[in-house]
Amino acid sequence: MGPRAKKVRAKETKPNEDLANILLEIGEYEKNVNLQPFKYNAYRRASQSLLECDKKIKRIEDAKILKGVGKRIGERIEEYLKTGKIDKLNEARKNNKSKILKELNRVAGIGPSHAQKLFSEGIRSLKDLKSHQDLLTHHQKIGLKYVDDFEQRIPRQEMAEIEKFLVDQIKNIDVKYTVTICGSYRRGLESSGDVDVLITHSNYVSLRYAQEQNLRTAKNLIIETKKSPEMLLKKIIDKLKKLDFITDTIAFGDSKFMGVCKVTNDYLHRRIDIRILPFDEYFCGILHMTGSDMFNQNMRKTAKERGFILNEYCLRKLDSSGRPGKALKIESEEDIFKYLEINFKRPEERY
DNA sequence: AATAGGCTTGG
DNA sequence: CCAAGCC
């Protein structure tokens, strides 16, 4: 998911690609150098509109009607149409500081704010960073170590190998685990940016579910507490480390592991996220994590129109005063579509 | 006013 | 607790 995945299915004809790229570059400059995330967003949206427009923009009037193009961005486009360049961009490109900040931002865990800080401390390149690792957090050190690997996309073939490995190993711990690799892989794309794994255990339910269903005394049940997801997840992570599949840990909390993995020595290091969810929340979870972002947005909108509220964890019906009721019982992705009276869409169809 | 909100780290 | 970063 995210902007990277979107790019893959952009239109065949992109007559305004040049202009779109320029706007995006200005946006990145606003975010990384001027610490203006909202401006970045505005430029990004305008850029996206330009990309989706299949008619070549020749006059400023054509641009003004696009969504995301207002006064300021309109002026920039006008400048581009008249002169073939944009001053703001040239300013950005020749600015040495902005080049350095951009370079530092390649490192996972270094955002605009940290990059500025490092610059003010005299860091001018990734090479500088390598010799001043005391300035970095644990996450950033790993980002630096694998900066080249993390920029490479993961071929579908390798994703499939990772999937098989994970399913085999985790089922081997306990057959009651279910493992799903979500994201663009699940949607059938030929490459992915990272590995996004969701796991559940058929005996594991959320506290909310246990209370609503009055399951307090049921046997064999693992009811969510602060520590239970950790117990279920830690077992798995320990094993994957022992097998040398997981090579580094970025963050490891109650319910979510973030780290680095590698299938065999022939492969690059890949970013992997693994999280554990209660069974009753699993299908809303995989729906959410499978995306695409656009698909999620649309589905949630439809849900709202039909008197439901859908989020990452559950689907609830809204009562007449708009208050959400109990979470609906869901045992598959299909169930979610059924409640909403939407035809089921396979992951490959979720644009 | 602006992507939604949660998770995790680090101070 | 807050800020940053990521998903």
Side-chain angles (χ1 to χ4, degrees), chain A residues 210-233:
Chain A
Q211 285 167 345
E212 284 174 4
Q213 306 287 323
N214 211 5
L215 291 174
R216 214 150 32 87
T217 56
K219 249 189 150 183
N220 278 335
L221 217 57
I222 306 168
I223 295 173
E224 181 184 25
T225 65
K226 273 230 171 57
K227 283 299 150 209
S228 61
E230 192 206 328
M231 312 251 297
L232 286 166
L233 183 56

Side-chain angles (χ1 to χ4, degrees), chain A residues 100-117:
Chain A
I100 293 167
L101 293 177
K102 214 168 153 184
E103 174 90 347
L104 298 180
N105 279 137
R106 289 174 56 203
V107 176
I110 300 185
S113 155
H114 258 118
Q116 297 270 2
K117 187 152 174 284

Side-chain angles (χ1 to χ4, degrees), chain A residues 2 4 46 61 69 77-79 81 87 121 147 155 175 217 238 246 257-258 261 295 344 346:
Chain A
R4 276 166 304 160
E61 292 78 22
V69 178
I77 295 176
E78 192 168 15
E79 183 185 349
L81 292 174
D87 269 351
E121 286 163 329
V147 65
V175 291
T217 56
D238 283 347
I246 286 175
F257 170 89
M258 293 170 61
C261 72
F295 175 81
F344 180 68
R346 289 176 293 115

